[in-house]
Amino acid sequence: MNSKWLDYTTLTLVIVGAVNWGLVGFFKFDLVAYLFGSLSLLSRIIYALVGLSGLYVLSMYGRIIAVGEEGE
């Protein structure tokens, strides 16, 4: 099963989340809340998708290790 599209989508969402947290940490500016409203339904969906994407990206560690072992 080709999960490349899912990998790219979740990686993009994780990057969006990381940038948003960087903005919060450095400037106290929440870009998602600014764009979609503070804890609006859409904001909460985006936060949830970013969180789920972070959990999915954890699986990349296992795949990276598996690819490294194939080359040995």
Side-chain angles (χ1 to χ4, degrees):
M1 180 178 176
N2 187 355
S3 64
K4 196 175 236 184
W5 69 271
L6 184 60
D7 291 347
Y8 283 117
T9 302
T10 56
L11 190 56
T12 300
L13 283 170
V14 168
I15 291 168
V16 166
V19 168
N20 193 57
W21 275 111
L23 289 171
V24 170
F26 288 117
F27 306 111
K28 295 182 181 178
F29 178 72
D30 186 344
L31 182 62
V32 173
Y34 176 77
L35 293 175
F36 302 108
S38 181
L39 292 180
S40 68
L41 179 61
L42 188 54
S43 295
R44 292 179 61 204
I45 290 170
I46 292 169
Y47 292 135
L49 288 174
V50 168
L52 290 172
S53 296
L55 294 174
Y56 177 79
V57 168
L58 284 174
S59 72
M60 288 183 182
Y61 282 114
R63 288 185 277 153
I64 290 169
I65 291 169
V67 168
E69 290 173 354
E70 289 175 6
E72 292 178 7

